[in-house]
Amino acid sequence: MRILVVEDDDGVAAAVVDALVSAGHGAVRARVAAEVAALRQDVDLVLLDLGLPDADGLDVLRELRRASELPVLVMTARSAERDVVRTLRLGADDYLVKPVRLPELLARIEAVARRRPRSRPAPEVVEVGDVRIELAAGRVTAGAAEVALTGKEFDILAVLARAAGTAVSRQALIEQVWGEAPGSRALDAHVVTLRGKLDRPGLLATVRGFGYRLGEASPIRYRSSS
């Protein structure tokens, strides 16, 4: 595999890259969050530190999940249970606390690679009935009409669209859209407005005591640029 190592510490990065290369992998390094978007285009897995100098690694993870389905293994000094749970809810495939033993790191990488396909493209368009959600373009149409959404409304819809037909928890929605929780009432208010703008009863369903679901499984179509 070709692995992107996102790590600002030169010593840690050198040791990890050497271990990856010795195990037969290709490796490329990003020192800062700003380099990730360009470098992720040609890799099979991302090894991500959360303590980056120009951004929080959770924001990098959030952007990775919005743009791709690349496996992401987080390697960080943060050991609090809250950090582990939040990171996994945001879509990380595994979580390792530094200092990391290199044989264990290689085994975790192999396990993540087995669980997730490397070549599966992330959908660019999700269609549920006559509602079309263009994830990359940030555009939504219902029937023949374009639906004008705020940034937060589109972000909520995009999270639900990527998991269309499956319930998404309130906590996962809040963390993926806002990062720090703004409170459940803010999410509920945005969902009410979103339902009104889409004007498709039953399209955005409430899963009592858990969260929300966009559509049912059968009428959903995913499309990519290929």
Side-chain angles (χ1 to χ4, degrees):
M1 290 190 299
R2 184 168 169 82
I3 298 171
L4 172 58
V5 180
V6 187
E7 171 62 64
D8 67 314
D9 186 295
D10 290 337
V12 172
V16 169
V17 168
D18 285 348
L20 293 174
V21 172
S22 296
H25 300 296
V28 59
R29 180 194 175 192
R31 288 178 171 81
V32 294
E35 297 174 341
V36 173
L39 293 175
R40 71 170 176 81
Q41 303 295 332
D42 191 35
V43 300
D44 303 304
L45 182 144
V46 178
L47 188 59
L48 175 65
D49 181 23
L50 298 183
L52 300 173
D54 61 333
D56 191 293
L58 290 177
D59 293 330
V60 177
L61 174 60
R62 193 176 291 110
E63 288 302 317
L64 282 167
R65 279 292 156 263
R66 287 173 179 167
S68 76
E69 293 188 4
L70 278 173
V72 179
L73 195 160
V74 166
M75 184 176 68
T76 179
R78 300 179 191 176
S79 59
E81 182 181 19
R82 178 180 181 274
D83 291 321
V84 177
V85 171
R86 184 180 180 193
T87 303
L88 293 173
R89 280 179 172 164
L90 282 175
D93 293 271
D94 205 346
Y95 194 103
L96 282 169
V97 177
K98 295 176 181 176
V100 176
R101 292 172 293 185
L102 293 176
E104 180 183 358
L105 172 62
L106 293 172
R108 296 285 189 107
I109 289 172
E110 291 167 6
V112 167
R114 286 196 300 269
R115 291 197 301 266
R116 298 193 62 162
R118 284 183 276 163
S119 58
R120 180 183 175 189
E124 293 185 1
V125 177
V126 178
E127 296 178 353
V128 186
D130 68 343
V131 174
R132 177 182 172 91
I133 304 153
E134 300 178 31
L135 296 170
R139 184 170 181 263
V140 177
T141 54
E146 184 165 352
V147 182
L149 301 179
T150 67
K152 284 292 186 285
E153 289 164 359
F154 181 82
D155 287 346
I156 292 168
L157 186 60
V159 172
L160 293 169
R162 290 187 179 93
T166 303
V168 179
S169 73
R170 299 168 64 85
Q171 186 65 31
L173 272 168
I174 289 170
E175 290 183 349
Q176 290 186 56
V177 172
W178 280 275
E180 293 297 331
S184 296
R185 291 184 180 179
L187 174 61
D188 294 339
H190 279 81
V191 169
V192 169
T193 305
L194 187 55
R195 282 173 170 154
K197 290 183 176 182
L198 293 171
D199 194 24
R200 297 295 187 275
L203 177 71
L204 208 172
T206 298
V207 180
R208 189 175 298 276
F210 183 74
Y212 297 99
R213 184 188 67 246
L214 181 68
E216 302 293 342
S218 57
I220 297 165
R221 297 187 296 277
Y222 298 92
R223 298 181 180 178
S224 65
S225 56
S226 57

